[in-house]
Amino acid sequence: MKLLRCKTLLALLLTVSGTTLHAQGSAFLLRPVGARAVGLGQAVVARRDGSEGMWWNPASLGSSTMREMSIHHSQDFFATGDALTLVVPASRLGVFAIAADLQNYGEQENTTDPSVPATGTVLTRSFVLSGSWATSIARHTTAGMTVKLVQMRVDCTGPCDFPNEVAQTFAIDAGTQFALGRRVILGASIRNMGLALEVQDSEEADPLPTRFQLGMLYRYPLPERYAADAELNMTADLTDGLNIDRPLPRFGAELVWQKRAFLRGGYVFESESGAGGPTLGLGFSRNNLVLDLARVFSGFSADAGQAPTFLSLRFSF
């Protein structure tokens, strides 16, 4: 079955993204989105980074005051990903956002015998369409939720000898953030809650990889002579499945210079797969335009000669 091939591919993908495989067919939901988050070791549940936060903790949108459009691009040995996001604050109604994430795992010829001409081209892709809402509950607290349509598709163009296959379900993310003064923010989110990813007209189904993430942001006080131009932000998160039997830490740090240049570093700790390790990110801001870059230095893709690379472009208006 072509779907089985897709699941095998996605299992390998999780080694690339630094995540343990708990749900085969829905593993693509654990691929990280956003160069800023990747550069910080994915320790971002307590950060407020505009549209990018939608993928990690929808509550982070609650502090948005400007509309924002963004594109988040990723490239590794197995897939090319693009996520488009629009954030719209609506005064007393809260903040609304919509997003679409497409992961393209490439194409292959449909053939079972190398001596026989191919009868078509097989395309393997995953697609997530999301809508979010967030608001401020009190002076220091925000909360938010995201509803997602999730699909994994195996399509064949040309004269194929099998029908196209689509696995589909719905999922929900929810989160909250609480500010303790000016220097500390606490955050918590739960992602990918929903029914199993089920293949149409089939009994095949895969449970979603639900994740709980808890973390803290600390704005480190710099010496007075640097405080006017520089900022140092540090984050620490714990993440696990719903059973919470083996939480794994993630750490990130960001040095900001005059709110125009950003240097980021992080570390992702993982378990059985041995994936994880250091990450590095850079950012540049000019007026309402922000460019972020990040790279992951370990995992299957990096070992295969193509380290996962992420680029995010955001425009506020």
Side-chain angles (χ1 to χ4, degrees), residues 237-294:
D237 286 11
L238 289 173
T239 183
D240 202 352
L242 285 180
N243 51 355
I244 312 182
D245 59 354
R246 193 176 181 183
L248 298 170
R250 298 172 174 180
F251 299 102
E254 176 186 59
L255 179 63
V256 183
W257 182 254
Q258 295 183 343
K259 298 189 182 298
R260 293 186 177 183
F262 308 81
L263 176 63
R264 305 182 182 102
Y267 199 94
V268 182
F269 288 84
E270 296 299 339
S271 56
E272 297 92 347
S273 66
T279 63
L280 181 66
L282 295 172
F284 306 94
S285 176
R286 180 70 173 178
N287 296 325
N288 293 339
L289 189 65
V290 179
L291 173 67
D292 293 312
L293 305 167

Side-chain angles (χ1 to χ4, degrees), residues 95-115:
V95 180
F96 296 87
I98 56 173
D101 178 27
L102 175 65
Q103 301 286 333
N104 186 349
Y105 306 107
E107 58 185 53
Q108 65 184 76
E109 293 183 341
N110 178 41
T111 180
T112 56
D113 187 344
S115 63

Side-chain angles (χ1 to χ4, degrees), residues 30 51 74 91 103 166 176:
L30 297 178
S51 63
S74 62
S91 186
Q103 301 286 333
V166 178
T176 186

Side-chain angles (χ1 to χ4, degrees), residues 136-276:
S136 296
I137 298 177
R139 182 178 177 183
H140 302 291
T141 305
T142 61
M145 67 176 298
T146 300
V147 178
K148 303 186 289 191
L149 170 65
V150 178
Q151 277 193 357
M152 182 175 71
R153 305 183 59 91
V154 180
D155 298 308
C156 188
T157 63
C160 299
D161 56 359
F162 70 94
N164 295 340
E165 292 182 330
V166 178
Q168 179 172 298
T169 189
F170 290 89
I172 294 176
D173 300 348
T176 186
Q177 291 183 336
F178 180 75
L180 296 173
R182 297 189 307 113
R183 298 201 178 276
V184 177
I185 299 177
L186 304 178
S189 70
I190 186 167
R191 306 193 305 272
N192 306 322
M193 296 184 296
L195 300 176
L197 186 66
E198 185 173 352
V199 181
Q200 294 180 359
D201 302 322
S202 170
E203 295 182 358
E204 292 186 67
D206 290 295
L208 299 184
T210 304
R211 289 293 181 271
F212 177 76
Q213 192 160 337
L214 176 70
M216 179 182 73
L217 164 70
Y218 177 60
R219 298 187 175 100
Y220 185 82
L222 295 175
E224 187 175 349
R225 59 177 175 173
Y226 300 118
D229 294 317
E231 300 175 26
L232 179 58
N233 303 312
M234 298 183 292
T235 53
D237 286 11
L238 289 173
T239 183
D240 202 352
L242 285 180
N243 51 355
I244 312 182
D245 59 354
R246 193 176 181 183
L248 298 170
R250 298 172 174 180
F251 299 102
E254 176 186 59
L255 179 63
V256 183
W257 182 254
Q258 295 183 343
K259 298 189 182 298
R260 293 186 177 183
F262 308 81
L263 176 63
R264 305 182 182 102
Y267 199 94
V268 182
F269 288 84
E270 296 299 339
S271 56
E272 297 92 347
S273 66

